[in-house]
């Protein structure tokens, strides 16, 4: 059977198109995908995972502070960047920040409702996130899991994000106790399996997986590079078992105390397609230094 040919025009007309398995890409289409942060290997080969640098601002920054960050980041960063930048501010800053970051970074939410819009006081639905320009949404961040969010709720949110056209960033990772008991890989596999149980293989390339050991988040400590490489390889292996034909196209990130000092080594690891950054992403100087380290 003849492999479909994708041109740059096709990609411009449908920026979120899912590239069919086995498709060929014209050189201009490959350039465009590289500019958007995809890794494209070989002539006419299909694109591999997007390289991403995602900022999770948690419950920090007012709208004014977010705009000041956008101004300072814009001065330091020259698009297209080697890693696609994504900023996840508090909900209140999404609309304004999206405008301020246009052309420099994409927008993500830190969470989303498991429901469609309706009588769900306090919930922010996928539809509302799309309305203010979000392309991504974190799902199952450890701080939400610590607040009681279980695998079933995480899976529902992931499905809701995919159905709406958002790219869910699924956070997985073990606690210090689970690690001490030698269960890190098993915990990560279980979380992945439960969250992705109902995900169709054709939707999987829109999912981002962030391995975030819970004991490393906000603590200034990280696993060794060999340990990170081991778990990221394990995530890729699990994805291959779920959907071998698309597993290489899923972006797999590391998160947990990433800083300008350790980013170069972490971002160079095989199977690492980027990072999810909390504390160091609040400062445009440190965040752009992490980008430079991974470029
Ligand atoms: C996070 O909040 O997802 C995170 C990785 O935080 P930090 O970089 O501060 O550890």
């Amino acid at each position: 059977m003849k492999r479909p040919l994708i041109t740059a025009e096709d990609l411009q007309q449908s920026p979120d198109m899912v590239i069919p398995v086995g498709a060929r890409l014209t050189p201009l289409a490959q350039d465009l995908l590289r500019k958007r942060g995809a890794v494209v290997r070989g002539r006419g080969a299909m694109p591999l995972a997007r390289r991403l640098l995602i900022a999770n601002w948690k419950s920090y920054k007012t709208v004014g502070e977010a705009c000041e960050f956008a101004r300072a980041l814009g001065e330091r960063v020259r698009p297209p960047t080697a890693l696609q930048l994504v900023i996840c501010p508090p909900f209140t800053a999404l609309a304004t920040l999206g405008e301020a970051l246009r052309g420099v970074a994409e927008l993500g939410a830190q969470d989303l409702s498991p429901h469609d819009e309706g009588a769900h006081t306090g919930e922010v639905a996928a539809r509302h996130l799309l309305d203010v320009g979000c392309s991504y949404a974190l799902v199952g961040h450890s701080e939400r899991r610590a607040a009681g969010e279980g695998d079933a709720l995480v899976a529902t949110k992931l499905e809701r994000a995919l159905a709406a056209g958002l790219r869910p960033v699924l956070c997985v990772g073990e606690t210090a106790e689970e690690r001490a008991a030698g269960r890190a890989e098993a915990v990560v596999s279980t979380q992945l399996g439960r969250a992705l149980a109902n995900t169709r293989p054709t939707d999987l390339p829109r999912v981002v997986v962030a391995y975030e050991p819970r004991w490393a988040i906000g603590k200034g400590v990280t696993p060794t590079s060999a340990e990170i490489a081991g778990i990221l390889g394990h995530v890729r292996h699990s994805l291959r078992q779920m959907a071998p034909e698309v597993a290489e196209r899923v972006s797999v990130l590391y998160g947990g105390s990433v800083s300008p000092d350790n980013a170069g080594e972490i971002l160079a690891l095989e199977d690492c397609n980027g990072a999810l950054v909390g504390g160091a992403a609040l400062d445009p100087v440190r965040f752009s230094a992490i980008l430079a380290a991974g470029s």
Side-chain angles (χ1 to χ4, degrees):
M1 199 178 65
K2 205 163 177 322
R3 294 157 70 202
L5 180 68
I6 310 280
T7 65
E9 205 179 357
D10 296 332
L11 294 170
Q12 266 150 353
Q13 276 168 7
S14 321
D16 265 333
M17 86 183 284
V18 175
I19 312 285
V21 174
R24 290 169 302 140
L25 296 158
T26 63
L28 278 181
Q30 292 184 40
D31 278 353
L32 190 66
L33 282 168
R34 282 196 189 94
K35 281 183 190 146
R36 289 182 186 168
V39 179
V40 184
R41 282 196 197 138
R43 285 174 57 123
M46 67 183 210
L48 296 180
R50 269 183 158 200
R51 295 187 76 214
L52 297 165
L53 183 57
I54 304 183
N56 172 20
W57 283 356
K58 312 187 188 219
S59 190
Y60 291 104
K61 291 195 192 292
T62 60
V63 175
E65 288 160 354
C67 288
E68 176 50 29
F69 177 99
R71 191 197 56 73
L73 187 69
E75 279 175 5
R76 284 170 176 78
V77 164
R78 205 163 298 281
T81 46
L83 290 100
Q84 172 64 54
L85 302 180
V86 180
I87 311 285
C88 305
F91 288 129
T92 48
L94 280 169
T96 311
L97 191 66
E99 286 301 316
L101 287 172
R102 196 176 289 277
V104 174
E106 291 186 89
L107 205 56
Q110 296 176 20
D111 190 23
L112 81 160
S113 174
H115 309 289
D116 270 336
E117 71 176 353
H120 307 291
T121 302
E123 298 281 357
V124 180
R127 179 161 189 260
H128 306 130
L129 299 177
L130 289 169
D131 186 41
V132 291
C134 278
S135 324
Y136 292 81
L138 305 188
V139 173
H141 189 277
S142 68
E143 285 154 15
R144 301 212 58 83
R145 290 186 193 255
E149 205 162 291
D151 287 328
L153 182 55
V154 171
T156 305
K157 290 183 175 187
L158 187 132
E159 282 166 38
R160 194 61 78 186
L162 282 174
L166 291 165
R167 294 172 190 264
V169 180
L170 170 63
C171 302
V172 294
E174 80 285 0
T175 62
E177 295 71 33
E178 289 163 341
R179 170 184 154 92
R183 296 187 48 235
E185 285 194 0
V187 168
V188 166
S189 309
T190 303
Q191 290 174 345
L192 272 179
R194 289 186 180 157
L196 299 174
N198 297 323
T199 305
R200 290 176 306 182
T202 46
D203 284 335
L204 205 57
R206 285 198 290 124
V207 175
V208 176
V209 178
Y211 166 56
E212 296 211 304
R214 289 167 71 161
W215 51 272
I217 294 181
K219 299 289 192 301
V221 289
T222 58
T224 65
S225 291
E227 286 169 332
I228 296 174
I231 302 269
L232 296 185
H234 176 70
V235 169
R236 186 76 66 196
H237 175 73
S238 306
L239 293 168
R240 280 190 197 118
Q241 285 188 322
M242 283 176 211
E245 65 284 12
V246 294
E248 314 307 317
R249 290 160 60 190
V250 179
S251 300
V252 179
L253 317 183
Y254 169 76
S257 296
V258 173
S259 71
D261 295 334
N262 60 25
E265 193 170 330
I266 292 171
L267 292 169
L269 292 173
E270 199 182 339
D271 279 319
C272 183
N273 305 122
L276 175 53
V277 187
L282 290 168
D283 174 3
V285 177
R286 297 186 78 208
F287 189 59
S288 48
I290 292 173
L291 170 64
S295 301

